[in-house]
mmCIF file of all heavy atoms in Angstrom:
data_model
loop_
_atom_site.group_PDB
_atom_site.id
_atom_site.type_symbol
_atom_site.label_atom_id
_atom_site.label_comp_id
_atom_site.label_asym_id
_atom_site.label_seq_id
_atom_site.Cartn_x
_atom_site.Cartn_y
_atom_site.Cartn_z
ATOM 1 N N VAL N 262 0.812 -1.241 0.007
ATOM 2 C CA VAL N 262 0.007 0.028 -0.054
ATOM 3 C C VAL N 262 0.804 1.248 0.044
ATOM 4 O O VAL N 262 0.588 2.197 -0.705
ATOM 5 C CB VAL N 262 -1.012 0.008 1.224
ATOM 6 C CG1 VAL N 262 -1.667 1.308 1.375
ATOM 7 C CG2 VAL N 262 -1.940 -1.086 1.020
ATOM 8 N N SER N 263 1.927 1.260 0.793
ATOM 9 C CA SER N 263 2.868 2.423 0.826
ATOM 10 C C SER N 263 3.583 2.562 -0.416
ATOM 11 O O SER N 263 4.127 3.696 -0.733
ATOM 12 C CB SER N 263 3.806 2.242 2.083
ATOM 13 O OG SER N 263 4.626 1.148 1.952
ATOM 14 N N ASN N 264 3.757 1.515 -1.227
ATOM 15 C CA ASN N 264 4.480 1.613 -2.514
ATOM 16 C C ASN N 264 3.505 1.878 -3.673
ATOM 17 O O ASN N 264 3.438 3.050 -4.107
ATOM 18 C CB ASN N 264 5.199 0.315 -2.726
ATOM 19 C CG ASN N 264 6.162 0.383 -3.958
ATOM 20 O OD1 ASN N 264 6.192 1.376 -4.723
ATOM 21 N ND2 ASN N 264 6.924 -0.590 -4.238
ATOM 22 N N SER N 265 2.778 0.878 -4.096
ATOM 23 C CA SER N 265 1.861 1.117 -5.188
ATOM 24 C C SER N 265 0.667 2.009 -4.866
ATOM 25 O O SER N 265 0.345 2.937 -5.676
ATOM 26 C CB SER N 265 1.227 -0.344 -5.595
ATOM 27 O OG SER N 265 2.319 -1.142 -6.038
ATOM 28 N N GLY N 266 0.163 1.870 -3.636
ATOM 29 C CA GLY N 266 -0.967 2.708 -3.278
ATOM 30 C C GLY N 266 -0.568 4.149 -3.189
ATOM 31 O O GLY N 266 -1.337 5.054 -3.558
ATOM 32 N N ALA N 267 0.590 4.500 -2.577
ATOM 33 C CA ALA N 267 0.989 5.768 -2.390
ATOM 34 C C ALA N 267 1.364 6.482 -3.788
ATOM 35 O O ALA N 267 0.972 7.649 -3.998
ATOM 36 C CB ALA N 267 2.263 5.879 -1.543
ATOM 37 N N ILE N 268 1.986 5.674 -4.706
ATOM 38 C CA ILE N 268 2.291 6.190 -5.964
ATOM 39 C C ILE N 268 1.023 6.611 -6.672
ATOM 40 O O ILE N 268 0.909 7.732 -7.283
ATOM 41 C CB ILE N 268 3.057 5.214 -6.777
ATOM 42 C CG1 ILE N 268 4.525 5.157 -6.328
ATOM 43 C CG2 ILE N 268 3.090 5.552 -8.338
ATOM 44 C CD1 ILE N 268 5.361 4.092 -6.982
ATOM 45 N N CYS N 269 0.037 5.734 -6.682
ATOM 46 C CA CYS N 269 -1.287 5.971 -7.375
ATOM 47 C C CYS N 269 -2.018 7.191 -6.730
ATOM 48 O O CYS N 269 -2.353 8.115 -7.486
ATOM 49 C CB CYS N 269 -2.142 4.763 -7.255
ATOM 50 S SG CYS N 269 -1.752 3.426 -8.226
ATOM 51 N N MET N 270 -2.094 7.233 -5.440
ATOM 52 C CA MET N 270 -2.844 8.332 -4.789
ATOM 53 C C MET N 270 -2.149 9.673 -4.921
ATOM 54 O O MET N 270 -2.774 10.671 -5.247
ATOM 55 C CB MET N 270 -3.094 7.957 -3.302
ATOM 56 C CG MET N 270 -3.995 8.982 -2.603
ATOM 57 S SD MET N 270 -5.560 9.104 -3.301
ATOM 58 C CE MET N 270 -6.338 7.650 -2.779
ATOM 59 N N LEU N 271 -0.926 9.723 -4.572
ATOM 60 C CA LEU N 271 -0.082 10.984 -4.651
ATOM 61 C C LEU N 271 -0.019 11.509 -6.052
ATOM 62 O O LEU N 271 -0.069 12.696 -6.266
ATOM 63 C CB LEU N 271 1.234 10.747 -4.047
ATOM 64 C CG LEU N 271 1.328 10.455 -2.566
ATOM 65 C CD1 LEU N 271 2.804 10.265 -2.162
ATOM 66 C CD2 LEU N 271 0.709 11.624 -1.862
ATOM 67 N N SER N 272 0.163 10.642 -7.038
ATOM 68 C CA SER N 272 0.221 11.035 -8.429
ATOM 69 C C SER N 272 -1.152 11.617 -8.866
ATOM 70 O O SER N 272 -1.137 12.583 -9.593
ATOM 71 C CB SER N 272 0.629 9.832 -9.321
ATOM 72 O OG SER N 272 1.903 9.375 -9.003
ATOM 73 N N PHE N 273 -2.156 10.955 -8.500
ATOM 74 C CA PHE N 273 -3.511 11.417 -8.881
ATOM 75 C C PHE N 273 -3.772 12.784 -8.280
ATOM 76 O O PHE N 273 -4.321 13.616 -8.946
ATOM 77 C CB PHE N 273 -4.545 10.418 -8.259
ATOM 78 C CG PHE N 273 -5.963 10.735 -8.790
ATOM 79 C CD1 PHE N 273 -6.360 10.796 -10.146
ATOM 80 C CD2 PHE N 273 -6.934 10.941 -7.803
ATOM 81 C CE1 PHE N 273 -7.640 11.138 -10.505
ATOM 82 C CE2 PHE N 273 -8.218 11.224 -8.168
ATOM 83 C CZ PHE N 273 -8.535 11.342 -9.591
ATOM 84 N N ILE N 274 -3.496 12.938 -6.980
ATOM 85 C CA ILE N 274 -3.691 14.261 -6.429
ATOM 86 C C ILE N 274 -2.842 15.384 -6.982
ATOM 87 O O ILE N 274 -3.217 16.459 -7.310
ATOM 88 C CB ILE N 274 -3.321 14.204 -4.859
ATOM 89 C CG1 ILE N 274 -4.291 13.256 -4.096
ATOM 90 C CG2 ILE N 274 -3.255 15.594 -4.197
ATOM 91 C CD1 ILE N 274 -3.970 12.978 -2.654
ATOM 92 N N LEU N 275 -1.528 15.025 -7.276
ATOM 93 C CA LEU N 275 -0.642 15.863 -7.933
ATOM 94 C C LEU N 275 -1.177 16.376 -9.346
ATOM 95 O O LEU N 275 -1.200 17.539 -9.735
ATOM 96 C CB LEU N 275 0.765 15.276 -8.135
ATOM 97 C CG LEU N 275 1.785 16.194 -8.921
ATOM 98 C CD1 LEU N 275 2.134 17.361 -7.998
ATOM 99 C CD2 LEU N 275 3.110 15.314 -9.158
ATOM 100 N N LEU N 276 -1.732 15.414 -10.140
ATOM 101 C CA LEU N 276 -2.303 15.689 -11.373
ATOM 102 C C LEU N 276 -3.599 16.561 -11.326
ATOM 103 O O LEU N 276 -3.728 17.482 -12.023
ATOM 104 C CB LEU N 276 -2.603 14.392 -12.164
ATOM 105 C CG LEU N 276 -1.451 13.595 -12.728
ATOM 106 C CD1 LEU N 276 -1.776 12.210 -13.023
ATOM 107 C CD2 LEU N 276 -0.813 14.284 -13.875
ATOM 108 N N LEU N 277 -4.382 16.272 -10.321
ATOM 109 C CA LEU N 277 -5.591 17.141 -10.085
ATOM 110 C C LEU N 277 -5.195 18.531 -9.797
ATOM 111 O O LEU N 277 -5.809 19.401 -10.294
ATOM 112 C CB LEU N 277 -6.415 16.423 -8.936
ATOM 113 C CG LEU N 277 -7.249 15.207 -9.312
ATOM 114 C CD1 LEU N 277 -8.068 14.808 -8.078
ATOM 115 C CD2 LEU N 277 -8.118 15.372 -10.430
ATOM 116 N N LEU N 278 -4.228 18.704 -8.895
ATOM 117 C CA LEU N 278 -3.738 19.983 -8.560
ATOM 118 C C LEU N 278 -3.201 20.804 -9.756
ATOM 119 O O LEU N 278 -3.478 22.002 -9.951
ATOM 120 C CB LEU N 278 -2.747 19.935 -7.447
ATOM 121 C CG LEU N 278 -3.232 19.517 -6.094
ATOM 122 C CD1 LEU N 278 -2.008 19.382 -5.005
ATOM 123 C CD2 LEU N 278 -4.191 20.569 -5.498
ATOM 124 N N SER N 279 -2.474 20.025 -10.627
ATOM 125 C CA SER N 279 -1.934 20.703 -11.789
ATOM 126 C C SER N 279 -3.048 21.211 -12.745
ATOM 127 O O SER N 279 -2.993 22.275 -13.321
ATOM 128 C CB SER N 279 -1.027 19.738 -12.520
ATOM 129 O OG SER N 279 -1.766 18.717 -13.129
ATOM 130 N N TYR N 280 -4.184 20.377 -12.855
ATOM 131 C CA TYR N 280 -5.204 20.831 -13.727
ATOM 132 C C TYR N 280 -6.010 21.968 -13.000
ATOM 133 O O TYR N 280 -6.478 22.820 -13.750
ATOM 134 C CB TYR N 280 -6.088 19.678 -14.015
ATOM 135 C CG TYR N 280 -5.434 18.685 -15.016
ATOM 136 C CD1 TYR N 280 -5.295 17.314 -14.593
ATOM 137 C CD2 TYR N 280 -5.020 19.074 -16.203
ATOM 138 C CE1 TYR N 280 -4.665 16.461 -15.486
ATOM 139 C CE2 TYR N 280 -4.389 18.145 -17.070
ATOM 140 C CZ TYR N 280 -4.276 16.880 -16.646
ATOM 141 O OH TYR N 280 -3.638 16.011 -17.499
ATOM 142 N N VAL N 281 -6.086 22.007 -11.782
ATOM 143 C CA VAL N 281 -6.732 23.116 -11.124
ATOM 144 C C VAL N 281 -5.923 24.416 -11.392
ATOM 145 O O VAL N 281 -6.491 25.509 -11.714
ATOM 146 C CB VAL N 281 -6.870 22.911 -9.562
ATOM 147 C CG1 VAL N 281 -7.261 24.226 -8.821
ATOM 148 C CG2 VAL N 281 -7.934 21.817 -9.298
ATOM 149 N N VAL N 282 -4.695 24.333 -11.250
ATOM 150 C CA VAL N 282 -3.787 25.564 -11.565
ATOM 151 C C VAL N 282 -3.906 25.976 -13.003
ATOM 152 O O VAL N 282 -3.977 27.185 -13.290
ATOM 153 C CB VAL N 282 -2.285 25.193 -11.167
ATOM 154 C CG1 VAL N 282 -1.341 26.356 -11.565
ATOM 155 C CG2 VAL N 282 -2.160 24.953 -9.736
ATOM 156 N N ILE N 283 -3.868 25.030 -13.855
ATOM 157 C CA ILE N 283 -4.047 25.258 -15.313
ATOM 158 C C ILE N 283 -5.393 26.006 -15.569
ATOM 159 O O ILE N 283 -5.450 27.001 -16.238
ATOM 160 C CB ILE N 283 -3.926 24.002 -16.140
ATOM 161 C CG1 ILE N 283 -2.490 23.546 -16.102
ATOM 162 C CG2 ILE N 283 -4.374 24.261 -17.509
ATOM 163 C CD1 ILE N 283 -2.284 22.144 -16.768
ATOM 164 N N LEU N 284 -6.486 25.406 -15.025
ATOM 165 C CA LEU N 284 -7.815 26.009 -15.237
ATOM 166 C C LEU N 284 -7.879 27.461 -14.675
ATOM 167 O O LEU N 284 -8.480 28.386 -15.280
ATOM 168 C CB LEU N 284 -8.830 25.132 -14.640
ATOM 169 C CG LEU N 284 -9.134 23.706 -15.307
ATOM 170 C CD1 LEU N 284 -10.060 22.905 -14.461
ATOM 171 C CD2 LEU N 284 -9.726 24.006 -16.754
ATOM 172 N N TYR N 285 -7.269 27.644 -13.555
ATOM 173 C CA TYR N 285 -7.301 28.952 -12.876
ATOM 174 C C TYR N 285 -6.512 29.959 -13.844
ATOM 175 O O TYR N 285 -6.973 31.186 -13.955
ATOM 176 C CB TYR N 285 -6.643 28.891 -11.545
ATOM 177 C CG TYR N 285 -6.696 30.220 -10.803
ATOM 178 C CD1 TYR N 285 -7.742 30.774 -10.161
ATOM 179 C CD2 TYR N 285 -5.347 30.907 -10.666
ATOM 180 C CE1 TYR N 285 -7.721 31.987 -9.580
ATOM 181 C CE2 TYR N 285 -5.390 32.090 -9.970
ATOM 182 C CZ TYR N 285 -6.547 32.644 -9.405
ATOM 183 O OH TYR N 285 -6.491 33.831 -8.787
ATOM 184 N N SER N 286 -5.398 29.496 -14.327
ATOM 185 C CA SER N 286 -4.648 30.456 -15.193
ATOM 186 C C SER N 286 -5.305 30.803 -16.469
ATOM 187 O O SER N 286 -4.853 31.780 -17.175
ATOM 188 C CB SER N 286 -3.219 29.787 -15.438
ATOM 189 O OG SER N 286 -3.258 28.654 -16.276
ATOM 190 N N LEU N 287 -6.164 29.893 -16.981
ATOM 191 C CA LEU N 287 -6.813 30.191 -18.324
ATOM 192 C C LEU N 287 -7.699 31.503 -18.253
ATOM 193 O O LEU N 287 -8.134 31.847 -19.354
ATOM 194 C CB LEU N 287 -7.677 28.988 -18.702
ATOM 195 C CG LEU N 287 -6.881 27.693 -19.138
ATOM 196 C CD1 LEU N 287 -7.855 26.554 -19.416
ATOM 197 C CD2 LEU N 287 -6.020 28.010 -20.395
ATOM 198 N N ARG N 288 -7.997 31.962 -17.132
ATOM 199 C CA ARG N 288 -8.879 33.169 -17.075
ATOM 200 C C ARG N 288 -8.262 34.359 -17.731
ATOM 201 O O ARG N 288 -9.009 35.274 -18.205
ATOM 202 C CB ARG N 288 -9.236 33.436 -15.623
ATOM 203 C CG ARG N 288 -8.213 34.100 -14.840
ATOM 204 C CD ARG N 288 -8.494 34.138 -13.383
ATOM 205 N NE ARG N 288 -7.493 35.040 -12.675
ATOM 206 C CZ ARG N 288 -6.175 34.691 -12.456
ATOM 207 N NH1 ARG N 288 -5.740 33.561 -12.752
ATOM 208 N NH2 ARG N 288 -5.461 35.552 -11.737
#
């Protein structure tokens, strides 16, 4: 869980945050 699970979850959160920043900058 700390290996595969952490990679999946942290990567997903990082990607979501990146898209939030991108959408915010599009204004």
Side-chain angles (χ1 to χ4, degrees):
V262 171
S263 63
N264 186 355
S265 296
I268 287 176
C269 289
M270 185 61 75
L271 292 176
S272 299
F273 184 62
I274 292 171
L275 180 64
L276 287 166
L277 287 182
L278 289 175
S279 72
Y280 289 121
V281 168
V282 173
I283 288 171
L284 290 174
Y285 181 74
S286 69
L287 286 177
R288 75 193 192 284

